[in-house]
Structure formats: C-alpha cells, structure tokens
Amino acid sequence: MMLWRNSAISLFVLVSTLTHFSTTLAFPSYGSLAGLSQREVHELVARLPAVLPPPPPGPLTSNGTKLVYDRNHPWKPLRKGDIRGPCPGLNTLASHGYLPRDGVASPSQIITAVQEGFNMDSGLARFVTYGAHLVDGNLVTDLLSIGGKTKKTGKDAPPPAIIGGLNTHRVFEGDSSMTRGDDFFGDNHSFNQTLFDQFVEYSNRFGGGSYNITVAAELRHRRIQESIASNPEFDFTSPRFFTAFAESTFPYAFFVDGRISNRTSAALDMTNATLFFRDSKFPRDFWRPPAPTGAIGIIEIFSAYPIAPGRNVGAVNTYTPDPTSADFGNFCLLYTNFVNNTVKSLYPDPKGVLRRNLILNLRYFYGGIAGGGCEEIFPYGQI
C-alpha cells in the first residue's frame, strides 16, 4: 500500500490538523468547543442552532481542466472583518467566492471549493477538511474559520484556551512554512516577505526562475534547518511532519495552469507565485489542473534529505527524533493517534447532538482514507 505515492497525501496540507485545539467561552458560531468543561459544553450546545452534518460532496462529475478565474468568480479585496489564514489556496478560493468571502465555511463548502478551484482529489479533500473541522470547527453548527481571531469571534476565553480557526498552531498550521513564520516568533499566518524572498531566491538558484520539484526539496530542507537553528519550540512530529512535505508540492501541483498537461515537470513562475501567496488571487485566465490531483513528488522531496519526526527540546539545535510519531512508513498511526488521542482528549464524554455530530464527522473523516488499509475507530460508538 504505497498510499504516499498516490494523491492521498496532499491533503495532509489542508491539516492541516491534529495535535492542538481551540476553545472559547464567549462562543462564536464557528469557535471550537474543544477544551470546555462538560457543563460549559452542555450550556453552549443547548443554545446553538444544531445542524445535522450532511454527507460530504462526492467527486466532481466533470473533473477535467477548466477556467476558474471566470466572470462568476471575480477577485475582490478584503472587506472589514473578512478572515484569511495560513493557507494560500483557501485564501484564494475565498477571495474569488469559491468559499464564502468572509472566510467562514462548512466542511462541505470547503471540499467543493478545493475540487472546483484546484481539482484536488476528493478523498484527500475529505480527510484533511474533516480533520481540521474536528479539532477547530464548531461541530454543532457545522462551521469552520479558515483563519483566526476577528471581531466576529467575541470575547476570548482565558488562557490556555484560544479561539478556533486554522491559525491554531500545530493544527492546520505548523512550523517551517515556506512563506509564513514559525508561531514562536509571533505571527504564524500572515504572508512573510522575507521568507517569500527566499522562495524566489531558491527558485532562481535551483529552478531557473521557477518553483519545481528540485526547488521544493532544497527549500524544504532549508526551512527545516532554519527552524531547528532558531526556534527552541520547533515541532516536526505528526501531523506537521506530513503537511510540511505535502505543502512543498502544492505550488507546482495546484498553482500551475492546467493546460500544461505534463504535471511532473510543471513549474510555477514568480509572477504567479506572488499572486497566490501574497495576494490570494488566481492569475488571469487560470485553468485548474487537468485531472484530480494530489501531492505529486512528495516522496522524492522527502528522500532528497530524509529526516525522522522529532522536535527541539527547549533550546535551539536540540532536535530529537520522536519514535512515537507517525512517519511515511506508518500512515495509519497518524489516523489512530488523531482519533484516540487528539479528538478523544478534546471531547472525553460528549452527549446528545455533540456526540452524534462527532460520530458523523469521524465517519466522514475516515471516508477519505477508506480502502487504504487503516482500521476504522469508533471512540463514541456508532449510529
């Protein structure tokens, strides 16, 4: 089962997703329920508009290339209160109206958008989207913020609780991003010009002015080494171990015009890279990939500079492997640890609507990898 060699890995980047959690007491409609006491959860659930999570959208009926920057999806600048986060792809989809422009969406909307806009493989879209939603979404109202704190979230909960959304460190977002800084330095989600300049530098040095798989391997290695040398809290265990290598494939897998049919040699020029990463904008006359797509070349990127999952231990340059973390040789451990450890720790004894919606979301989450050899887990029973 070489799950990593097919498209199934790509959505580890939309996880974006599995080790931390978000909480709030002054509860927004899309804040996380995770971390609240049982009494607080019961009180909040009772006054929230409960939604029965619908089954996820299926694969696209017409899944070839097509124009996505069209008259129905114009780019629009941010309005006051609109939310954007660490993922350039989701930011772009929101700025073109494939997602709600305010940056708050249901899992079904996200899955539809990444397929329509980027022709992302349906199973991958399900796995990462529901992974993110289970940790940082509102499981009762079925809504998720693609970013972080805004006025819409209401009053913050006291520490250590945080407001829900994909900016949450070690969830969707993780260390050693290509164009976002490590959380340790204070801003883990905004476009970082210094890091983008390095992206351009490496594209010029190793890719002749474009970002390709060779550039991806070199830049991924560079960013890991930089975090080891500068971030005493650097964490490169699962799921970030997977998402970091997966996101390295995204610029040439998803951001290159779909009329270029040879995807293995596709390369992203720096003009279009600037539009996606900085401006959250499709290039004019942009067509999506010609077939459902995943993280092409992820194993090649990892194999160029192999590294074991691990973390710095309280100081820079103390990187220590973690044998309990999932790696490319044990994908199912990522799934089981997420369900048994992360989700279960956030929701130890859910009742009523919350339990029902957890069961359904976990079912949809597993559906993204069904057939991949992993045994399905039912921590809250079945319905």
Side-chain angles (χ1 to χ4, degrees), residues 195-216:
L195 290 178
F196 185 72
D197 289 344
Q198 181 172 259
F199 181 98
V200 174
E201 174 197 348
Y202 268 58
S203 297
N204 289 333
R205 187 192 306 181
F206 297 103
S210 295
Y211 182 94
N212 58 22
I213 191 171
T214 302
V215 179

Side-chain angles (χ1 to χ4, degrees), residues 171-233:
V171 185
F172 181 87
E173 180 279 332
D175 291 330
S176 76
S177 169
M178 292 185 294
T179 63
R180 269 66 176 171
D182 286 4
D183 183 73
F184 177 78
F185 301 109
D187 185 349
N188 63 356
H189 56 275
S190 301
F191 174 80
N192 185 306
Q193 185 64 55
T194 300
L195 290 178
F196 185 72
D197 289 344
Q198 181 172 259
F199 181 98
V200 174
E201 174 197 348
Y202 268 58
S203 297
N204 289 333
R205 187 192 306 181
F206 297 103
S210 295
Y211 182 94
N212 58 22
I213 191 171
T214 302
V215 179
E218 297 296 332
L219 184 59
R220 171 46 50 211
H221 177 64
R222 172 68 180 270
R223 290 295 296 125
I224 292 170
Q225 296 306 309
E226 286 178 339
S227 289
I228 290 173
S230 63
N231 179 359
E233 298 178 1

Side-chain angles (χ1 to χ4, degrees), residues 8 10 41 43 99 103 134 207:
S10 76
V41 168
E43 291 176 353
L99 286 173
L134 280 160

Side-chain angles (χ1 to χ4, degrees), residues 86-167:
C87 178
L90 293 182
N91 293 343
T92 298
L93 292 170
S95 292
H96 280 271
Y98 281 95
L99 286 173
R101 293 183 185 271
D102 68 354
V104 179
S106 70
S108 292
Q109 288 174 315
I110 294 173
I111 292 167
T112 297
V114 296
Q115 291 186 95
E116 286 288 347
F118 292 117
N119 215 349
M120 183 174 279
D121 178 85
S122 176
L124 307 186
R126 289 176 61 174
F127 185 74
V128 216
T129 300
Y130 283 106
H133 185 54
L134 280 160
V135 174
D136 272 330
N138 181 336
L139 301 179
V140 176
T141 62
D142 202 39
L143 292 173
L144 173 67
S145 164
I146 69 170
K149 298 180 186 296
T150 74
K151 294 180 180 179
K152 296 179 181 180
T153 61
K155 185 179 179 180
D156 286 0
I162 55 176
I163 302 302
L166 297 185
N167 289 0

Side-chain angles (χ1 to χ4, degrees), residues 260-272:
I260 298 175
S261 58
N262 186 354
R263 308 307 288 179
T264 59
S265 62
L268 177 66
D269 68 64
M270 295 301 98
T271 297
N272 288 350

